[in-house]
Amino acid sequence: MSDVSEILLDGNSLTRDHVAAIARGARVQLDTTQLARVQRAADFLADKVSCGEPIYGVTTGFGSNADKLLGAHRMRDELPGGNPQPRSETLLEELQHNLVITHAVCVGEPFDAGVVRAMLGIRINTLMRGHSGIRVSTLEALAALLNRDVIPVIPQKGSVGASGDLAPLSHLAIVLLGGGEAFFGGERMAGARALERAGLAPIKLSFKEGLALNNGTTQMLATAALALERLGDLLDTADLAASMTLDAFAGRSGALREEVHALRPHPGQVGTARHVRDLLDGSTLVDIAYHLVPRFRGWSADAWSDAQDQQQSFDIAWDWVPPSQRHGREAFYRRFLPFKGGKKHQPQDAYCLRCMPQVHGAVRDAYEQACRVIDIELNAVTDNPLIFPDAPDARVIEEQVISAGHFHGMPLALAMSYVKAAIPVLASISERRLNKLVDPATNDGLPAFLIGNEDATDSGFMIVQYTAAALVNDLATRAHPASVYSVPTSANAEDHVSMGANEARHVLDMTEDLAHVLALELYTAAQALDYRQDMLNAARRLAQRGDWRALAAKIANAPDTTHPARKQFETEVQALAKSLAEAADFHAGAAVRAAHAKVRERIAFMARDRAMDGDVRVACDIVREGILPTRRHDDR
């Protein structure tokens, strides 16, 4: 999405892209038509209060205090000694004020400004629906807080996800009252000071306004929406990393074919296979004939005679398969030349490559389900009670001010539980591909740990896999769903809660570690791809010089000149030379090449061990910045 400087909030059309734009700094404007509906509900509520109607959260207490009706005056004024803290506002105003100041009890590090801005935008939008009883002036004050970039300090922990996100939203609302703390101009300060510096004045709450401000699913929704924005990018990054790895393996494309996935048409699976096919388009590595692929052999001084090839830091090799070992495999060797290099003679890749559409696709489906839930929630009314001033044929107040349960976060919590379980799956398959790249037993002829190691002093990419493994384990241990473990609150008046705030916060945090795992795979795959392309193209150049004997010198298990099979060996080596010489340049798919070039702009190929901490930081930055072309025709 392109950057947007201002978002019109009308209660009905807020999108995840809008939330992301608000988080990044977009201002908001309030739709005037909807403001009329907002004021209609506030006026209706004021009228009913003046008539003495009992209304939950307006003329009664909250939660387990709902059975307590507010009186006409303060009983505590009659306590012995009188009221030591006389109040100027009415009991109804005091009720709303106290609701906010006593509920702001979260702990932990504060949310970043982007999350708080998203919360403000979402809260304003839901109040714009005109079913919450808030006054236009209060809603405009909330919008001014956002537009002047006054960022309430909201510690991250304290919501149980029903009744909504009471505690964190109270930290948000308390700044409107001149309390709490806020960031302004990058500085943390008292809320009253932040308002003053922003040219704003504190407000006094009217009927139900405290409840309208702090009763809703706003924290969990903001963190969920921002987590999904990040995850959507990472899903494409995961496909790109897997595509680069598949190219580095010179893997097989059959498992990606359209007709294959038509037989099991899960949307995410079909989409992933299509995406990876697109990323690999133009590759001359995928589906390469087995016999063309040499395996890595350690460099030696006499490995190459040509000046260009002498710049290589490796040698290459094949094994010849003698006729005596071809029995029962004649059909195979009629199709492929009898040379074993880097590729094993098998028609399928390991699961981490072959089952990429099924695994990545399942994660995509979890993401899409969560997006569906979040998109509904962004324009939902989630406080309580709900006000219907224009309800037809209403006979009693309870038919126009209805206590319901829209504050319950379970729809969001379960959607985030699904995503929470999916994130370690995506990280795990990425780590398995990374591990396969560095393990000489599984990397199809690439050097061990992707380094030459001529003097046995180099570790190469060995420990990169350790870090990925640690991250995967950490993600897996955090994947337990919070939503299955309700802890009742409010003296059991709120006897089942969603824990959706924890769920969404966890998911937002987990996307960062997922990004790191994918960055490590890309970093490693870029090294592997360099080796694969360079080894194949070195073999191709050798063959193009026309001296098949130079190629034969790279082949082990060759019969000596007196052996009966020598002539057959020479004929087959000449056929290998011809195949290599006629081959086009060996390279990855167009999108993979573009991504590889982006990596190489900032991280050089590692021919010898060097400090890798800087490389890893840059790889993580590349993924975080979203600069990789994850679509073939992506022009970012």
Side-chain angles (χ1 to χ4, degrees), residues 334-364:
R334 281 195 296 272
R335 184 177 173 197
F336 299 102
L337 293 170
F339 299 98
K340 288 184 177 179
K343 291 296 293 180
K344 293 183 176 66
H345 294 171
Q346 58 187 33
Q348 57 189 30
D349 292 316
Y351 284 8
C352 65
L353 299 171
R354 189 180 4 142
C355 300
M356 183 200 316
Q358 290 79 6
V359 177
H360 288 208
V363 177
R364 280 188 182 275

Side-chain angles (χ1 to χ4, degrees), residues 219-237:
Q219 179 201 314
M220 66 183 94
L221 183 54
T223 48
L226 295 177
L228 291 180
E229 183 206 24
R230 185 70 177 122
L231 184 57
D233 291 338
L234 293 177
L235 285 165
D236 284 346
T237 302

Side-chain angles (χ1 to χ4, degrees), residues 51-175:
C51 296
E53 294 279 14
I55 304 171
Y56 171 76
V58 179
T59 59
T60 76
F62 307 105
S64 60
N65 287 324
D67 60 341
K68 293 181 170 60
L69 293 171
L70 274 64
H73 65 279
R74 291 177 174 82
M75 292 183 62
R76 60 179 175 269
D77 289 344
E78 300 171 8
L79 290 170
N83 181 6
Q85 294 180 315
R87 306 281 289 262
S88 60
E89 73 265 51
T90 68
L91 278 173
L92 274 61
E93 292 169 334
E94 181 182 338
L95 175 70
Q96 302 303 316
H97 179 90
N98 286 354
L99 174 70
V100 170
I101 65 172
T102 62
H103 284 47
V105 292
C106 291
V107 298
E109 291 298 310
F111 281 112
D112 342 294
V115 173
V116 178
R117 287 186 58 86
M119 290 175 65
L120 281 163
I122 290 168
R123 195 77 212 132
I124 294 166
N125 189 66
T126 190
L127 296 173
M128 286 290 291
R129 291 291 298 271
H131 291 279
S132 301
I134 196 167
R135 294 169 299 169
V136 167
S137 59
T138 302
L139 195 50
E140 289 174 336
L142 197 62
L145 205 67
L146 175 59
N147 288 337
R148 302 285 179 89
D149 212 26
V150 177
I151 307 300
V153 172
I154 304 179
Q156 295 187 20
K157 299 176 183 179
S159 173
V160 296
S163 285
D165 296 316
L166 288 171
L169 282 175
S170 295
H171 282 277
L172 186 148
I174 199 172
V175 174

